[in-house]
Amino acid sequence: MLKGEFVTANRDSEETIQKYIQGCIRNERDSQKALYKHFYSFAMGICLRYANDRLDAAGILNDGFFKAFKNITKYETSKAFMPWLGRIITNTAIDYYRANLKFTDHVDILEQENIAQIGSVYDKLAYNDLLALVQTLSPAYRTVFNLFAIDGYNHEEIAEILGISVGTSKSNLFKARQKLQEMLKATDAKTYQVRSSGVDKSLLQIRLNTNMQ
């Protein structure tokens, strides 16, 4: 998860959040507004990674919350709410791009798998820098990169989610990494300083190819 996605986690007690959820089950507008406000930063952080810009992200965010409120009765109160909401928001973002994209900007070759895995390293990028770079990728590259490098899906899962081949997923990831490296090289910055935030550090282990010459 990116910066801000867990910032609101402790502002309200779990008991209060569950009261919001029960109110949402009763379709109470005040509870819906309170839950929306509480998890806004968390959900927007997900949307921004997949969106072209903030306006686009806002549309995905609202659709995601609409789906969450519509399906709130399916939430199991014995489990954490944030992961449940996060899956809905992520799936909404994926659905949005799956409906609007044609994955034509790729070469479906398995040979690229080995190239992409040679000398992989973990470069630490500050959140805003990472977000800015990722948003410049084409939607096809950006979606696969997000799913693999940040959300932790494997290529078989990505292929099923997006309706593409495993080779296409691997190719798009490879090219996304290449383009990110080119941008890093162009800005004469192979690494970025990580801003002091404990919630960022686990996320900001982004796998990039080491060949930045």
Side-chain angles (χ1 to χ4, degrees), residues 122-183:
Y122 291 87
D123 286 335
K124 293 183 177 181
L125 308 179
Y127 165 68
N128 287 336
D129 296 318
L130 171 62
L131 183 59
L133 291 178
V134 171
Q135 284 186 325
T136 64
L137 296 172
S138 70
Y141 295 168
R142 180 172 65 237
T143 302
V144 171
F145 180 83
N146 276 319
L147 287 171
F148 184 91
I150 299 179
D151 291 325
Y153 291 91
N154 61 41
H155 288 295
E156 287 73 19
E157 292 169 328
I158 295 172
E160 182 177 356
I161 290 170
L162 299 180
I164 60 178
S165 70
V166 171
T168 296
S169 177
K170 291 176 180 179
S171 177
N172 284 344
L173 176 64
F174 172 78
K175 291 187 176 182
R177 284 169 165 167
Q178 275 192 324
K179 290 183 177 297
L180 287 172
Q181 290 162 17
E182 290 170 0
M183 286 185 282

Side-chain angles (χ1 to χ4, degrees), residues 29-154:
R29 291 286 295 172
D30 288 345
S31 294
Q32 291 175 344
K33 289 180 180 178
L35 202 67
Y36 178 94
K37 182 178 180 180
H38 180 80
F39 288 105
Y40 174 87
S41 295
F42 162 71
M44 179 58 82
I46 297 173
C47 295
L48 284 171
R49 289 197 278 107
Y50 286 91
N52 294 313
D53 51 43
R54 184 167 287 274
L55 181 63
D56 200 9
I60 297 172
L61 179 76
N62 290 333
D63 287 346
F65 269 104
F66 176 80
K67 291 178 181 179
F69 293 144
K70 183 179 179 180
N71 293 282
I72 193 72
T73 56
K74 297 179 181 179
Y75 163 65
E76 298 180 23
T77 56
S78 60
K79 298 181 180 179
F81 180 76
M82 185 174 285
W84 183 85
L85 176 63
R87 284 192 295 272
I88 291 179
I89 299 297
T90 299
N91 289 336
T92 301
I94 293 170
D95 288 344
Y96 178 84
Y97 283 102
R98 185 166 50 190
N100 289 280
L101 291 180
K102 292 182 179 180
F103 285 79
T104 57
D105 192 11
H106 70 275
V107 178
D108 191 358
I109 55 174
L110 296 179
E111 286 81 359
Q112 289 189 347
E113 178 181 9
N114 292 329
I115 298 173
Q117 289 179 347
I118 295 176
S120 292
V121 296
Y122 291 87
D123 286 335
K124 293 183 177 181
L125 308 179
Y127 165 68
N128 287 336
D129 296 318
L130 171 62
L131 183 59
L133 291 178
V134 171
Q135 284 186 325
T136 64
L137 296 172
S138 70
Y141 295 168
R142 180 172 65 237
T143 302
V144 171
F145 180 83
N146 276 319
L147 287 171
F148 184 91
I150 299 179
D151 291 325
Y153 291 91
N154 61 41

Side-chain angles (χ1 to χ4, degrees), residues 3-21:
K3 183 180 181 180
E5 292 184 11
F6 289 102
V7 169
T8 61
N10 296 318
R11 288 182 182 171
D12 294 335
S13 67
E14 184 63 27
E15 181 180 356
T16 300
I17 294 173
Q18 289 301 321
K19 287 182 179 178
Y20 295 157
I21 292 170

